[in-house]
């Protein structure tokens, strides 16, 4: 069996006390199988039920005993049959004895894999509420020691999940069973987790085991004469969706060796010579440097790259409070002393405990691999172990450079006028809402702990993938109740606290929030005092009255309303329009008016119409220079105003409409040569255009599929 493959036996308690939890047990176990079908299709899985009505296992036939233990599915390569075995589990009638089930599962693994160095695991799910039978010889603790010795001999690990709903009264039997399970943990062969909700059960069983791989093995260099041997692992890393690939159904059904993969080839052709393919050796990447493009070959780029020496060096120490939590970037890594190295363990422990006592953190310079293209700076935080046989370690977080930090000058709430500050009644209502939705109330287990909370999007995806494999036309099912408790507030809490929520609504003036156009950055960051707004409106009204001259008779009320609207949203004629003398200056003046977002949109539309007119009515390129300046101004404005799609769609439609006109093609070549391209994501995050797409837009690209 390969090193990265796993043999797993699921030990599931189906006794009477577990009947209410069995739907969640079925759900979490089938999710595990679905993920193995995606990521580890060669893993082998077996299913053992205990507390069942029937008895069916090899040990019962060979030795007797081991009653009510049923081997539901022998250890085999995971497939749809494995998933089917975990659906509609039988409801048992006898109390479950988890020690008997562990022995049966252990026997199955030993018989299947023998002394091979295969990765083997038992997974026990039970409520551990029933009295276990006494062993023929010795005590139950002796039996646990015997089982643990065999597990260590064959390098078999076990995950124990104890599911007891909140409100279950502990008794001496449960205490004894818990003590036996934790004895497995003390022997370093098992991990024990206790959960009390179906959602926590869904997250407690790691449905996808990621093989721990070091990202660094070497010295933590404190000084030239003081080095500590450490290993670095990833502690947290975002779980991604599995890669979805393109497949073709063009291969004949009889071809068993067809891969059905779709290959995409790109051919680059020049606009001047559309029938000539440009080979790779005649293409080179370029980088903007002011108005020009500087070409840099791949060999030159490799020569320019910074290639530091591999190593981790301590730069110094800092107060823990001087590193804001918001500075932590990317994944979290764990630095542990080199396994088996006693001196390294003592050195790491001494350093970590000194840092903990002085409330300090360490700043490191890290190069994980030889010839790595970048250097990471980060903060090392001590992690003092609370378990006797687990050494102290460190957590490592990447810190940002100056270029990585984003400063947003939002004003403080304390600077708002008194009319915008909450009253005591409003503050009290908000405080009560926070207390009501406390996820860690006193005397109760924390709800939605990250260790036991699965990603609802991933879980839903795998569930639908399994359904789709059987029913190709199936629609996505409604969200599972366990996942709904992750994505939505607990309905029991909401219903119980209805008066508090109603009081919150009465404390504030509630208004309908109409759907509006997305605000621009300048409008979001700008703040105007309501009193200033009122004064501004009065001043504008006075100016409008003075400009109208001396009226001798009352005006029509509709005329007065029209004048007020005109003050708020000036017309193009009043502010100005884009004229032939200096169109760019006129366009910038219209943008500067900024009476509202609608006015900015009008300015962009005016410029688009004017630019289109220049391009279409140009004779032998006489208007191209002026049109180029207009394109540059329009492009810049759309970036600033966060309207990349306005510009990209305008250019795309204009290009598609006029690209067959020989004279106009030269203008698009001019845009390309001056680097007036589509707006890409690097320039505006709202853009859907990548840098590569922007640079190749004016080139004729052909895609051929095999």
């Amino acid at each position: 069996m390969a090193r990265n493959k796993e043999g797993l036996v699921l030990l599931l308690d189906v006794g009477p006390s577990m009947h209410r939890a069995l739907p969640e047990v079925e759900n979490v176990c089938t999710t595990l199988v679905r993920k193995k079908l995606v990521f580890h299709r060669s893993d082998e899985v077996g299913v053992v039920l205990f507390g069942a009505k029937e008895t069916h296992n090899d040990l019962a036939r060979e030795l007797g005993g081991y009653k009510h233990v049923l081997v539901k599915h022998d250890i085999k390569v995971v497939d749809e049959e494995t998933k089917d075995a975990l659906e509609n589990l039988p409801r048992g009638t006898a109390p479950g004895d988890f020690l008997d089930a562990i022995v049966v599962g252990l026997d199955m693994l030993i018989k299947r894999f023998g002394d091979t160095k295969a990765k083997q695991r038992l997974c026990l799910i039970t409520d551990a509420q029933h009295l276990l039978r006494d062993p023929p010889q010795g005590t139950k603790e002796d039996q646990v020691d015997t089982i643990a010795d065999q597990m260590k001999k064959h390098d078999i690990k076990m995950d124990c999940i104890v599911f007891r709903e909140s409100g279950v009264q502990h008794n001496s039997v449960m205490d004894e069973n818990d003590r036996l399970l934790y004895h497995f943990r003390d022997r370093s062969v098992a991990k024990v987790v206790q959960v009390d909700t179906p959602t926590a059960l869904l997250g407690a069983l790691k449905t996808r085991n990621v093989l721990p791989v070091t990202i660094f093995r070497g010295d933590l260099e404190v000084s030239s004469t003081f080095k500590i041997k450490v290993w670095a692992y990833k502690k947290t890393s975002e779980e991604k969706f599995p890669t979805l690939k393109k497949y073709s159904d063009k291969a004949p059904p009889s071809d068993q060796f067809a891969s059905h993969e779709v290959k995409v080839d790109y051919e680059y052709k020049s606009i001047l010579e559309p029938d000539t393919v440009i080979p790779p050796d005649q293409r080179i990447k370029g980088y903007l440097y002011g108005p020009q493009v500087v070409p840099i070959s791949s060999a030159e780029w490799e020569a320019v790259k910074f290639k530091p020496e591999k190593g981790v060096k301590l730069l110094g120490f800092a107060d823990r409070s001087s590193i804001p939590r918001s500075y932590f970037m990317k994944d979290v890594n764990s630095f542990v002393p080199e396994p088996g190295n006693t001196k390294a363990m003592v050195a790491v422990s001494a350093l970590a405990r000194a840092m903990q006592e002085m409330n300090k953190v360490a700043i490191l310079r890290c190069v994980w691999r030889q010839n790595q293209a970048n250097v990471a700076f980060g903060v090392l935080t001590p992690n003092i172990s609370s378990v006797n046989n687990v050494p102290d370690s460190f957590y490592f977080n990447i810190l940002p450079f100056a270029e990585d930090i984003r400063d947003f000058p939002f004003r403080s709430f304390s600077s708002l006028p008194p009319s915008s500050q909450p009253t005591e009644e409003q503050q009290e209502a908000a405080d009560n809402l926070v207390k009501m939705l406390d996820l860690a109330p006193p005397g109760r287990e924390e709800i939605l702990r990250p260790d036991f909370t699965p990603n609802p999007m991933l879980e839903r995806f795998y569930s639908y993938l399994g359904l789709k494999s059987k029913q190709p036309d199936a629609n996505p099912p409604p969200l599972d109740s366990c996942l709904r408790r992750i994505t939505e507030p607990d309905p029991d809490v909401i219903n119980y606290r209805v008066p508090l929520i109603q009081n919150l609504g009465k404390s504030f003036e509630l208004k309908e929030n109409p759907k509006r156009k997305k605000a621009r950055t300048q409008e979001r960051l700008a703040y105007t005092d309501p009193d200033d707004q009122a004064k501004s409106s009065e001043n504008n009204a006075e100016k409008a009255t003075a400009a109208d001259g001396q009226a001798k008779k009352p005006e029509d009320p509709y005329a007065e309303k029209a004048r007020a609207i005109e003050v708020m949203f000036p017309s193009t004629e009043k502010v100005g329009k884009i004229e032939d003398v200096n169109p760019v200056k006129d366009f910038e003046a219209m943008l500067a008016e900024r009476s509202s977002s609608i006015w900015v949109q009008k300015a962009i539309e005016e410029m688009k119409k004017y630019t289109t007119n220049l391009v279409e009515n140009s004779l032998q390129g006489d208007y191209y220079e002026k049109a180029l300046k207009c394109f540059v101004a329009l492009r810049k404005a759309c970036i600033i105003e966060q309207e990349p799609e306005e510009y990209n769609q305008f250019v795309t439609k204009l290009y598609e409409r006029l690209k067959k006109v020989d004279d106009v093609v030269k203008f698009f070549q001019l845009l390309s040569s001056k680097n007036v391209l589509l707006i890409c994501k690097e320039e505006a995050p709202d853009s859907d255009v990548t840098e590569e797409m922007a640079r190749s837009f004016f080139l004729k690209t052909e895609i051929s599929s095999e």
Side-chain angles (χ1 to χ4, degrees):
M1 188 173 180
R3 174 175 173 269
N4 60 343
K5 296 179 182 178
E6 180 186 55
L8 170 67
V9 175
L10 296 171
L11 310 175
L12 309 180
D13 188 348
V14 295
S17 60
M18 282 289 291
H19 287 183
R20 290 182 57 185
L22 285 183
E24 282 74 29
V25 173
E26 295 170 356
N27 187 17
V28 69
C29 292
T30 51
T31 300
L32 180 146
V33 173
R34 290 191 194 105
K35 289 190 179 181
K36 285 188 175 294
L37 287 169
V38 175
F39 295 105
H40 306 287
R41 291 185 290 272
S42 300
D43 284 3
E44 300 185 23
V45 176
V47 180
V48 174
L49 309 181
F50 61 100
K53 182 179 180 180
E54 304 88 354
T55 299
H56 179 74
N57 61 81
D58 289 346
L59 292 179
R61 289 192 297 270
E62 297 168 4
L63 304 175
Y66 301 97
K67 294 182 178 180
H68 306 293
V69 179
L70 169 67
V71 177
K72 182 78 181 304
H73 184 76
D74 290 321
I75 301 177
K76 294 191 297 185
V77 174
V78 65
D79 55 11
E80 285 294 326
E81 184 181 339
T82 309
K83 187 162 69 70
D84 294 340
L86 292 165
E87 295 176 352
N88 300 319
L89 294 176
R91 273 47 179 171
T93 57
D97 189 322
F98 60 80
L99 285 182
D100 282 353
I102 293 173
V103 173
V104 170
L106 184 62
D107 178 66
M108 292 172 64
L109 287 173
I110 294 174
K111 288 179 178 178
R112 176 67 182 85
F113 302 111
D115 295 329
T116 60
K117 295 298 181 181
K119 186 178 179 182
Q120 303 170 62
R121 183 165 61 110
L122 296 170
C123 181
L124 172 69
I125 302 179
T126 179
D127 58 6
Q129 292 190 24
H130 301 292
L131 183 66
L132 307 181
R133 67 177 178 85
D134 293 324
Q137 297 178 348
T139 63
K140 296 175 183 177
E141 285 77 7
D142 295 335
Q143 187 180 12
V144 170
D145 286 330
T146 303
I147 297 172
D149 290 338
Q150 287 296 315
M151 292 175 67
K152 278 191 172 182
K153 178 181 178 181
H154 296 277
D155 196 20
I156 297 174
K157 300 294 183 181
M158 179 169 64
D159 294 329
C160 302
I161 301 175
V162 180
F163 177 72
R164 294 185 188 128
E165 291 183 307
S166 57
V168 174
Q169 297 295 325
H170 274 254
N171 52 43
S172 58
V173 173
M174 294 183 193
D175 293 338
E176 181 188 36
N177 291 341
D178 290 348
R179 188 171 63 253
L180 293 174
L181 290 174
Y182 281 109
H183 192 48
F184 278 110
R185 187 197 66 180
D186 295 339
R187 292 294 307 273
S188 301
V189 295
K191 181 176 70 173
V192 181
V193 172
Q194 293 201 9
V195 296
D196 59 358
T197 64
T199 303
L201 175 62
L202 192 61
L205 178 60
K206 302 302 179 184
T207 53
R208 184 189 175 203
N209 280 328
V210 180
L211 187 68
V213 178
T214 55
I215 60 173
F216 175 80
R217 295 187 185 188
D219 295 329
L220 169 57
E221 186 175 335
V222 180
S223 68
S224 58
T225 58
F226 181 23
K227 301 178 181 179
I228 307 173
K229 293 289 185 183
V230 295
W231 288 11
Y233 293 90
K234 281 188 178 295
K235 178 63 176 176
T236 62
S237 182
E238 182 185 359
E239 179 79 2
K240 304 287 187 180
F241 275 88
T243 304
L244 300 179
K245 299 180 180 180
K246 295 180 180 179
Y247 290 96
S248 171
D249 59 355
K250 299 300 182 183
S254 58
D255 187 355
Q256 299 180 354
F257 302 99
S259 64
H260 298 281
E261 293 184 2
V262 176
K263 295 182 179 180
V264 181
D265 293 331
Y266 293 89
E267 290 184 350
Y268 293 85
K269 298 182 179 181
S270 171
I271 295 179
L272 299 177
E273 299 179 10
D275 296 330
T276 303
V277 178
I278 302 175
D281 58 351
Q282 295 182 17
R283 301 196 306 264
I284 190 171
K285 289 186 176 181
Y287 294 85
L288 281 176
Y289 188 75
Q292 62 179 340
V293 177
V294 180
I296 299 180
S297 65
S298 56
E300 292 171 329
W301 181 241
E302 283 297 320
V304 169
K305 281 183 178 179
F306 179 51
K307 299 178 181 177
E309 290 292 323
K310 173 185 175 182
V312 174
K313 294 185 178 181
L314 175 68
L315 301 181
F317 297 94
D319 290 333
R320 189 187 291 241
S321 59
S322 65
I323 309 294
R325 177 66 182 84
S326 58
Y327 278 9
F328 291 178
M329 301 174 62
K330 300 184 179 178
D331 303 329
V332 181
N333 299 325
S334 180
F335 276 70
V336 299
E338 183 181 53
N341 190 331
T342 306
K343 292 182 178 179
M345 293 181 186
V346 173
V348 167
S349 180
L351 185 60
R353 290 175 184 269
M355 291 168 58
Q356 181 79 4
E357 183 178 345
M358 301 173 67
N359 200 27
K360 297 284 187 178
V361 293
I363 307 299
L364 301 186
R365 170 192 181 273
C366 300
V367 179
W368 308 119
R369 300 178 303 276
Q370 191 67 31
N371 296 326
Q372 182 176 309
N374 64 318
V375 177
F377 285 85
V379 56
L380 205 63
T381 307
N383 175 39
I384 308 303
S385 174
S386 59
V387 183
N388 292 332
N389 57 350
V390 177
D392 297 333
S393 59
F394 296 100
Y395 290 140
F396 178 78
N397 292 87
I398 300 290
L399 291 178
F401 292 102
E403 295 83 355
D404 304 323
I405 298 175
R406 302 291 184 265
D407 290 326
F408 299 103
F410 295 114
R411 295 182 62 174
S412 171
F413 284 115
S414 60
S415 64
L416 296 176
S419 60
S420 298
Q421 297 283 356
T423 63
E424 292 185 4
E425 180 186 0
Q426 292 172 338
Q427 187 64 57
E428 183 181 0
D431 292 344
N432 290 334
L433 178 68
V434 173
K435 294 176 183 177
M436 179 189 78
L437 296 177
D438 187 2
L439 295 179
R444 288 184 56 189
E445 289 288 332
E446 181 181 353
I447 304 170
L448 298 182
R449 287 175 53 188
D451 292 352
F452 302 144
T453 305
N455 186 329
M457 294 180 291
L458 287 173
E459 297 297 321
R460 181 168 167 78
F461 170 78
Y462 290 117
S463 176
Y464 182 55
L465 191 62
L467 177 64
K468 192 83 170 173
S469 66
K470 292 184 176 181
Q471 305 175 26
D473 298 329
N475 294 320
L479 193 64
D480 182 81
S481 58
C482 289
L483 301 181
R484 192 178 296 278
R485 289 182 176 271
I486 301 174
T487 59
E488 299 175 0
D490 190 339
D492 296 335
V493 175
I494 298 297
N495 294 334
Y496 180 67
R497 298 291 188 175
V498 167
L500 275 179
I501 299 175
Q502 291 176 343
N503 185 41
L504 180 69
K506 294 176 182 178
S507 301
F508 293 87
E509 182 182 359
L510 302 180
K511 295 181 180 180
E512 184 179 356
N513 186 18
K515 187 176 181 181
R516 295 180 295 179
K517 182 177 174 62
K518 179 180 67 176
R520 290 172 169 75
T521 303
Q522 292 87 343
E523 295 176 356
R524 286 198 300 268
L525 298 183
Y527 168 75
T528 305
D529 192 295
D531 298 333
D532 295 339
Q533 290 179 354
K535 292 178 181 178
S536 176
S537 299
E538 292 175 2
N539 292 337
N540 288 339
E542 291 175 1
K543 292 178 182 179
T545 304
D548 281 347
Q550 300 175 354
K552 293 184 179 180
K553 60 179 181 179
E555 292 188 2
D556 184 358
Y558 291 102
E560 184 180 352
K561 184 176 181 181
R563 185 167 62 249
I565 294 174
E566 193 176 50
V567 171
M568 295 175 63
F569 303 102
S571 65
T572 307
E573 289 75 19
K574 257 194 170 181
V575 177
K577 62 180 181 180
I578 298 177
E579 297 181 346
D580 293 333
V581 178
N582 198 334
V584 173
K585 186 177 180 180
D586 295 340
F587 175 58
E588 291 174 349
M590 294 172 69
L591 290 173
E593 180 69 22
R594 199 174 296 282
S595 298
S596 70
S597 58
I598 298 177
W599 179 248
V600 173
Q601 188 67 29
K602 286 183 179 180
I604 293 175
E605 290 296 330
E606 285 281 334
M607 193 55 160
K608 285 160 61 176
K609 292 177 183 178
Y610 182 82
T611 307
T612 302
N613 186 54
L614 284 179
V615 175
E616 290 180 337
N617 297 321
S618 178
L619 297 176
Q620 298 181 351
D622 54 347
Y623 291 154
Y624 283 176
E625 286 298 327
K626 181 182 287 189
L628 175 63
K629 294 179 181 179
C630 293
F631 263 89
V632 172
L634 179 61
R635 188 178 188 276
K636 179 180 178 181
C638 288
I639 293 175
I640 294 174
E641 298 298 331
Q642 299 184 13
E643 295 288 357
E645 290 304 310
E646 285 279 347
Y647 178 82
N648 291 343
Q649 291 180 10
F650 165 65
V651 175
T652 302
K653 291 178 181 178
L654 188 66
Y655 175 70
E656 291 296 330
R657 186 159 56 87
L658 301 177
K659 66 181 180 180
K660 295 183 180 180
V661 181
D662 294 337
D663 193 38
V664 179
V665 168
K666 296 179 182 179
F667 174 71
F668 292 117
Q669 293 175 2
L670 177 64
L671 288 180
S672 181
S673 65
K674 297 296 183 181
N675 222 45
V676 185
L677 310 174
L678 298 180
I679 300 174
C680 62
K681 289 183 178 179
E682 285 72 14
E683 298 171 292
D686 290 342
S687 175
D688 295 330
V689 178
T690 64
E691 186 177 1
E692 182 69 21
M693 293 167 60
R695 294 192 177 282
S696 61
F697 175 72
F698 293 118
L699 297 176
K700 186 177 180 181
T701 304
E702 294 184 358
I703 302 177
S704 58
S705 300
E706 293 183 6

